[in-house]
Amino acid sequence: MIAGPGSGAHAPVTRVLGFAEAELPAALAARVAALEAEAWPGATPGHDPALAPRALLLVTADGTVAASLALLFKEIRHGGRTYRAAGLSSVVTRRALRGRGCGARLVAAARRELAAVPGLDLVLFSCDRPLAPFYEAAGFTRLPGAVLVGGTPEEPLATDGPGFDKEVLAEFLGANGPDGPDARAGAAAFAGTRIALHPGPVDRLW
């Protein structure tokens, strides 16, 4: 995952647009695919429809996609409990616009949108280790020692696998808010554990 941390004095004028990924207009979908190809050459755009993917885009006045991300949704079982979870995926800022606060603005918009989803228990995702402070500054909590296991049941893909150097972050939602006792208990229950994103098809780690 890539995001543009920081803010700059010359940030472009932008607006946030949101679409169900299946309803993303073709012109915008092509711009997102090009942006992701810039960051991850050879990667296949899009997400498993079973995860109800939603695209959030930060778009400049001239139609440039300055940053994009996907919100994914599924139920997970952990510690004997079922959670309704969301994740951030494919977070990317256009290389030429990094350092101007574009990534921070889009992630903040995603966090606000997820906080308003009725019945959502937590937001859970991984990022490259050097980006963890960026997401902490956005309000997410690092889960020390936690490992996400995605992929498929037949071919699992874990954040501590060979070639990965990932951190797992979360936000626990509920009536007590992110600093309440339920959130603290949730963080304690997930930290230092392996968290399976199965059962069901998953095309990538979110």
Side-chain angles (χ1 to χ4, degrees):
M1 304 170 72
I2 300 174
S7 60
H10 305 291
V13 176
T14 54
R15 58 181 176 148
V16 175
L17 303 178
F19 303 87
E21 192 172 80
E23 299 172 3
L24 187 62
L28 287 176
R31 292 171 195 164
V32 170
L35 180 57
E36 292 183 359
E38 178 186 79
W40 307 293
T44 301
H47 296 82
D48 187 338
L51 301 176
R54 178 168 171 78
L56 286 190
L57 316 179
L58 191 67
V59 180
T60 66
D62 66 0
T64 298
V65 177
S68 67
L69 60 78
L71 305 177
L72 308 178
F73 300 87
K74 75 175 302 178
E75 290 187 347
I76 62 172
R77 287 282 300 172
H78 188 74
R81 177 180 167 184
T82 299
Y83 295 85
R84 188 180 177 205
L88 304 185
S89 182
S90 303
V91 182
V92 61
T93 297
R94 183 171 297 278
R95 186 175 292 117
L97 296 176
R98 291 177 190 170
R100 304 186 189 185
C102 296
R105 180 178 174 192
L106 188 60
V107 169
R111 188 168 174 251
R112 288 193 300 271
E113 181 163 322
L114 291 172
V117 175
L120 192 66
D121 295 306
L122 77 156
V123 184
L124 182 69
F125 62 97
S126 67
C127 71
D128 293 338
R129 196 171 300 277
L131 293 173
F134 167 76
Y135 290 103
E136 286 184 304
F140 295 101
T141 299
R142 211 181 303 213
L143 299 180
V147 174
L148 290 186
V149 183
T152 66
E154 295 76 22
E155 297 183 10
L157 182 64
T159 55
D160 65 347
F164 285 99
D165 186 24
K166 301 285 187 180
E167 289 269 10
V168 177
L169 296 101
E171 180 172 16
F172 294 88
L173 307 173
N176 291 313
D179 298 318
D182 285 352
R184 291 194 294 271
F190 278 75
T193 65
R194 297 182 73 82
I195 306 159
L197 301 179
H198 308 314
V202 179
D203 66 343
R204 65 181 70 174
L205 284 169
W206 62 15

